[in-house]
C-alpha cells in the first residue's frame, strides 16, 4: 500500500492511501469508535431561536414599512 505523505491522526504513523487519513483499518475503526462514543463531540452553546436571522430581517422590514408611510403601496 502506498503512503499518502500524511500522518495517521490516531497513531501518528505514515498514513496509507487505502485508509487515508489513517494508516490501517484498525486506526480508522478506533477513530470511528471515538466519534460514536461522543469523545469527539463539539461543545455547543445555547442555540439562538432565530439562528439564520430570517425573523430579525422580517421584523426590520416591517418596522421600516411602518415608519415610512410614503414608501407603502397607496392601494393597500
Amino acid at each position: 500500500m502506498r503512503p499518502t505523505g500524511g500522518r495517521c491522526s490516531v497513531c501518528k504513523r505514515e498514513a496509507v492511501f487505502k485508509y487515508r487519513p489513517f494508516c490501517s483499518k484498525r486506526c480508522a475503526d478506533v477513530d470511528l469508535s471515538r466519534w460514536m462514543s461522543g469523545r469527539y463531540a463539539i461543545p455547543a452553546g445555547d442555540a439562538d431561536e432565530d439562528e439564520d436571522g430570517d425573523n430579525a430581517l422580517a421584523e426590520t422590514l416591517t418596522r421600516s414599512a411602518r415608519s415610512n408611510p410614503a414608501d407603502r403601496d397607496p392601494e393597500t
Side-chain angles (χ1 to χ4, degrees), residues 43-47:
D46 294 335

Side-chain angles (χ1 to χ4, degrees), residues 7-68:
R7 294 278 174 199
C8 176
S9 60
V10 175
C11 70
K12 308 302 182 217
R13 288 189 288 179
E14 186 74 24
V16 175
F17 185 78
K18 181 177 179 180
Y19 301 108
R20 70 176 181 228
F22 308 104
C23 66
S24 65
K25 174 131 177 62
R26 180 196 167 278
C27 283
D29 289 343
V30 167
D31 185 71
L32 178 61
S33 174
R34 289 176 181 171
W35 276 106
M36 298 294 283
S37 69
R39 186 168 170 188
Y40 289 149
I42 299 169
D46 294 335
D48 290 335
E49 187 175 309
D50 181 30
E51 211 169 273
D52 60 1
D54 287 349
N55 293 342
L57 177 61
E59 187 176 319
T60 301
L61 293 173
T62 302
R63 270 194 235 129
S64 176
R66 287 184 193 146
S67 65
N68 297 326

